[in-house]
Structure formats: C-alpha cells, structure tokens
Amino acid sequence: MEGTIYSLIPAVLMLVLVLLTRRVILSLGIGIIIGAFMLTGIDLKEGLLLIWSLFSTIFVSEGALNTGNLYLLSFLFLLGITTAFMTASGGSKAFGKWAVEKIRTRKGAKLLPAILGIIIFIDDYFNALAVGQVARPVTDRYKISRAKLAYYIDSTSAPITVISPISSWGAYIIGTIGSILAANEISNYQALEAFILMIPANYYVFAALLLVFLTIFLKLDIGAMRTHEKRALDTGQLTNPEGDVPGDLNDEFKQHNNGKIAHLILPIGALVAGTVATMIITGIRNTEGAVDLLAIFANTNVNISLFIGGLVAVVTAGVLYAGQAGPKSGVSLVFWEGIKAMLPAIYILVFAWMIGDIINQLQTGEYLAQQFRQADINVAYLPLLIFIISGFMALSTGTSWGTFGIMLPIAGEIAAVTEPAMILPSLSAVLAGSVFGDHCSPISDTTILSSTGAGANHIDHVLTQLPYAGIAAVAASVGYILLGLTGQVWVPLLATLAVVVLIGILIHSYTSSVEKK
C-alpha cells in the first residue's frame, strides 16, 4: 500500500466525507481507521494498536513528552481562557462600542482583519489567533459572519508569512533553499537573495491577497459565503446554528457592566509582547555563530513562544478581572468556560495530526512526488505542473511545511538539470501550490486555527473559502502558463492580478444584476 496509488485512499475518502457529511471529526475518524487497517493488512488488533499509537505519540514520543504539540495545545486552552476573561470583564463589549464610534462602516470593519493580517507577518499560527481576538468584537458589531472573518484571517496569514523573510516560514524556507543551491552547485546567488528574487513568482499569494480586498470593496460573497453573510445581516446569527463553533463561549457568566477597552487591549498586548520576546530569546539561544534577525527567526521555537505569550496573557487578563469591583462571575467559572470553548478546536487538531501521520506512513506525498519525477515534462511549463502537484499534495496531507520539505528539493533538482533559469520560478511554484492546498484542506492546522481564531465552524470555513482559493489558483495558473510562454516573471504577475480583478468585476456585475431583479 505504501508509496502506491492506494496511499491516496484515506486522504481522498476523508475529503469526500467532509464535503458530503459536513462532520469533520467523523470524516477524520473514518480516514484514520481506514488508513490504520491499510497499514496493518486489515488486522483488527494491530490496527487498533496503531490507532492508539498515533494518538499517544501526539503527547509522548520515544519515551519523552512531545513538547511541541503539548505547548501548542496548551496555548489554545490559554487563548480560550484569555478570551473568556476579556469577555467576562466587559472588555470585548467596550472595545466593540469604541470601534463602532471609530470604524463607522461595515467596509471598515472588514478592512481591520485584512490589514492586521498583513501587518502581523511573524508567524501564521500567531497571526491567525491574534487577528481573530482583536477583530472579532468589531466584525461582530457590524454583523459580519464568522465564516467571512475566518476567510480574511486564513487568506492573509499564510500568504503574507510565506513571502516574509523575517518570519518562521521565511527562515525555514531560506534554510532549505541554501541546501538546495549547494546540492546543485548553484553559486549565482545566496539563499536570502534567492528568496527575495522568488517573491514576484509566487502568483497564488498575490492573487489571494488581492482577492481579499476585492471581496471587501466589491462585496464578493460567493456560494456558501453569500448564505452566511445574508443570515448575519438579516438575523444577527453570525455562525451556522447547526455546527460546533470553536472559540465561542456559552454565556454561562455575565459580562461586567463597567468593562474598559484596557481589559481587552492589555491582554492582547501581553500576548504579542510575550510571544515575540520569547521568539527572540529562543532564537538567540538556539543560534550558533553570528546572531542576526534572520538567524533568530530561523532558530526560534514558535510553540513554546506561543505558550509563554498565552500564559502572560492569561495572567494579565485574570489580574485585571480580579481587580474589578461589583457583581461578577467567579474566576473558576470563567476559567472553565474558556477551556470548554476550545475543546472543538482541540478535537479537530488532534484528529488532523493523527490522519496526517497515517498519510505520512502511507507515503502519499512520496508517491505524488515520484509520479511527478516520472512525468514527461516540457520544461517551460515546469512551474505550472509544480504548482498543481504541490497544491494537491498540501490538500491531501494538510501540511504546507511537509510539502515544502518534499517538493522544494525535487523542484530544484529537476530545474537545475533541465533548465537552471527556471529554478527560482519552480521553487516559487512549490510555495504557491503549498499555500493553495493548505487553504483548501480541512486537516490543515492553519485552516483549523483560522476558524478557531474567528470563532467559526470549521467545515463552514473550509467550504466558504474554497471558491476564493479556486479563483486565486486559476489566476495563478494563468500566470504560470504565461511564464512558460514568455520566460518573464513580472508580466505574468500583472496578468495574474488582472485575471483576479476581471473575475471579481464579473462576479460583482452578476450579483448586482441578480439583486436588482
């Protein structure tokens, strides 16, 4: 089964079930069971033992605690507790009232998460969760659906992080590029210079970012997103009432009547300061030799940084809440409600990790890469094919980083052997395809965290984002076709953006005519 076409079965089955049933945990669970039995030759005992092993290794691996996963899961709980304190203190309500005075239009409320998503480029996890906490009170006030907020978060976090050299993604990619250049004896440019030169050829990223702002200014509510936005405006129901909503509180406590904006801003500020400071400290400690900003972000420990930042935020929010006078709910109740609010996200993330491990053991990514190697490829269209393969790989495996690790060396090797001038566009296509697949995958951790940060039902976020990701992917494909025809980078980029604008105008014109009728 491993490394063959049959290795696609769990991933494809899971994706089909998610779309048909809209029950993400059930779909993931079936994918895990099928994959486990495939790996064990349909042996019931061995299959069950493998499933238990997949679950237990999330927490303990090779006799030691799996601290990376534990820190991330703990951070999600800390984020839920912080949110509960900010809500119970009346800070979210106070910020919402202030925002209504300062941000006077629904369009302005939509611009807030989009702009914040671009400004916070250090890490995609941090981006997704921090932007959601700041923007949610504002978007809620203006009856913007949580699905739309999740789309804004997801379609700015990974795209901006993957083209930023000073980010956790950028640092990892630059390190990988350095080894690829050395392995293929390419000395025309250094790794950082190559990364900068690759940015304009990452067509999907720019298409996705442009589309975010077109949806704001042209009101492009496509497919299921239109249903969510209409329900939010007409009824004030911001989420799908039929689905679980990670990050939402159950109103078991009363919000304080005298909350201040500081009760929201100070915990968020503590989260940002604690996370960034720890990223810098861990980066310095883990760096051997010369220490510079790029080296710091290449060697930082993101998960422990998020945990420390979350801990600082909880302490700050808790102290502020404890200092409030007047009738209020008990600290223990607020604490527990914050934990319960994050349980749906935790369940989905744990199941996503388990099926990701199954897919890895089945060597699904390696199979796709091998098929790519064996294909008879016209070198001019190498970036286009790499974009498509990387997109499908990230969609199936749910990981951008895993796709980077497999596809970047392969793309570099093929381009170096066939046409060295195509090496940077080919590497860019890997990054573009990986982000595209990540945006479409229900088992992607960044997709899960985006829905968590927005307080949206996870499958609603996946389904509403798909049309926008598809539009950006079509535009990017046009760009890569033109790159193959012209050998240029900038002209195809302009063409990609033009295609996005044209599609946006056509959709806007169509929906406007329908509304008039």
Side-chain angles (χ1 to χ4, degrees):
M1 297 290 184
E2 293 90 332
T4 69
I5 191 170
Y6 299 107
S7 66
L8 297 173
I9 290 175
V12 173
L13 177 64
M14 177 271 303
L15 292 170
V16 170
L17 287 174
V18 164
L19 295 175
L20 291 178
T21 68
R22 297 174 55 85
R23 299 175 65 180
V24 65
I25 293 179
L26 173 65
S27 304
L28 290 171
I30 291 174
I32 290 167
I33 293 170
I34 296 298
F37 286 136
M38 287 175 63
L39 285 168
T40 57
I42 318 181
D43 185 306
L44 180 60
K45 180 182 177 181
E46 291 299 319
L48 293 175
L49 287 174
L50 177 58
I51 291 171
W52 169 251
S53 174
L54 294 170
F55 176 76
S56 61
T57 52
I58 291 173
F59 307 98
V60 179
S61 179
E62 298 180 354
L65 290 175
N66 196 332
T67 54
N69 290 345
L70 291 173
Y71 280 132
L72 182 57
L73 293 173
S74 299
F75 170 70
L76 289 176
F77 283 126
L78 292 171
L79 185 69
I81 296 165
T82 302
T83 302
F85 274 124
M86 292 189 299
T87 302
S89 67
S92 297
K93 182 189 291 185
F95 183 77
K97 290 180 179 178
W98 173 84
V100 168
E101 296 175 0
K102 301 298 181 182
I103 300 175
R104 300 181 181 277
T105 65
R106 198 164 185 265
K107 186 182 296 181
K110 292 177 181 179
L111 280 169
L112 178 63
I115 293 172
L116 285 175
I118 292 174
I119 293 173
I120 302 175
F121 56 80
I122 293 174
D123 180 72
D124 59 322
Y125 287 4
F126 179 60
N127 180 309
L129 296 166
V131 172
Q133 297 306 302
V134 174
R136 199 192 305 173
V138 183
T139 55
D140 283 359
R141 281 278 176 173
Y142 281 94
K143 296 183 179 180
I144 296 166
S145 67
R146 296 288 181 78
K148 178 61 76 66
L149 176 58
Y151 162 66
Y152 292 146
I153 293 171
D154 204 0
S155 290
T156 53
S157 59
I160 199 65
T161 306
V162 81
I163 59 173
S164 171
I166 308 301
S167 70
S168 54
W169 283 36
Y172 167 76
I173 293 165
I174 290 169
T176 304
I177 291 171
S179 62
I180 291 170
L181 296 178
N184 291 283
E185 299 180 353
I186 296 173
S187 57
N188 297 3
Y189 24 67
Q190 299 300 312
L192 177 58
E193 182 186 1
F195 180 85
I196 299 298
L197 292 172
M198 284 165 54
I199 292 174
N202 198 329
Y203 299 144
Y204 176 81
V205 161
F206 291 103
L209 289 172
L210 175 59
L211 192 56
V212 165
F213 289 95
L214 287 179
T215 62
I216 295 172
F217 290 102
L218 297 181
K219 298 180 181 178
L220 301 181
D221 297 326
I222 308 168
M225 188 71 83
R226 186 177 181 80
T227 302
H228 284 269
E229 284 290 275
K230 189 175 187 304
R231 181 176 57 226
L233 279 171
D234 292 347
T235 68
Q237 180 72 48
L238 303 177
T239 61
N240 185 350
E242 299 177 358
D244 292 329
V245 180
D248 250 13
L249 300 168
N250 296 321
D251 293 329
E252 296 290 338
F253 50 77
K254 294 182 178 179
Q255 295 190 39
H256 202 284
N257 292 325
N258 297 317
K260 307 295 182 186
I261 294 177
H263 291 115
L264 181 135
I265 295 298
L266 291 180
I268 296 271
L271 174 66
V272 173
T275 302
V276 174
T278 310
M279 288 178 75
I280 293 172
I281 292 170
T282 57
I284 292 173
R285 287 182 175 179
N286 294 334
T287 300
E288 298 179 1
V291 176
D292 55 33
L293 202 55
L294 186 62
I296 289 171
F297 280 95
N299 294 288
T300 191
N301 188 322
V302 173
N303 287 351
I304 194 173
S305 301
L306 288 170
F307 173 75
I308 296 298
L311 200 60
V312 174
V314 166
V315 171
T316 303
V319 168
L320 290 172
Y321 182 68
Q324 286 183 291
K328 59 185 179 183
S329 302
V331 170
S332 59
L333 175 62
V334 178
F335 205 89
W336 176 237
E337 285 302 311
I339 290 176
K340 286 198 300 182
M342 282 296 162
L343 288 178
I346 298 293
Y347 299 151
I348 294 172
L349 190 57
V350 168
F351 272 58
W353 281 339
M354 290 174 68
I355 198 169
D357 198 354
I358 287 279
I359 290 168
N360 182 57
Q361 290 188 41
L362 284 169
Q363 301 175 22
T364 304
E366 286 81 352
Y367 167 73
L368 292 171
Q370 185 63 32
Q371 295 304 112
F372 175 73
R373 278 198 187 100
Q374 294 174 355
D376 185 14
I377 300 170
N378 183 333
V379 68
Y381 300 107
L382 181 62
L384 174 64
L385 293 174
I386 289 173
F387 172 71
I388 294 170
I389 293 293
S390 298
F392 188 73
M393 189 179 295
L395 168 65
S396 304
T397 61
T399 168
S400 294
W401 283 48
T403 305
F404 294 160
I406 294 172
M407 287 302 297
L408 281 173
I410 292 173
E413 177 187 344
I414 293 175
V417 171
T418 55
E419 179 52 69
M422 298 298 286
I423 189 167
L424 295 187
S426 297
L427 296 178
S428 291
V430 172
L431 305 184
S434 300
V435 174
F436 166 54
D438 189 89
H439 277 168
C440 300
S441 177
I443 60 171
S444 160
D445 46 9
T446 51
T447 303
I448 294 167
L449 294 179
S450 293
S451 57
T452 301
N457 174 265
H458 177 60
I459 192 60
D460 284 338
H461 167 47
V462 174
L463 294 177
T464 52
Q465 181 164 255
L466 277 174
Y468 299 97
I471 291 171
V474 167
S477 297
V478 171
Y480 288 120
I481 291 171
L482 288 177
L483 188 149
L485 292 172
T486 66
Q488 302 294 314
V489 171
W490 288 98
V491 171
L493 174 59
L494 295 175
T496 298
L497 300 180
V499 170
V500 173
V501 172
L502 178 60
I503 294 175
I505 291 173
L506 290 174
I507 293 173
H508 175 69
S509 300
Y510 174 75
T511 54
S512 297
S513 64
V514 170
E515 288 175 358
K516 288 178 182 179
K517 293 179 181 179

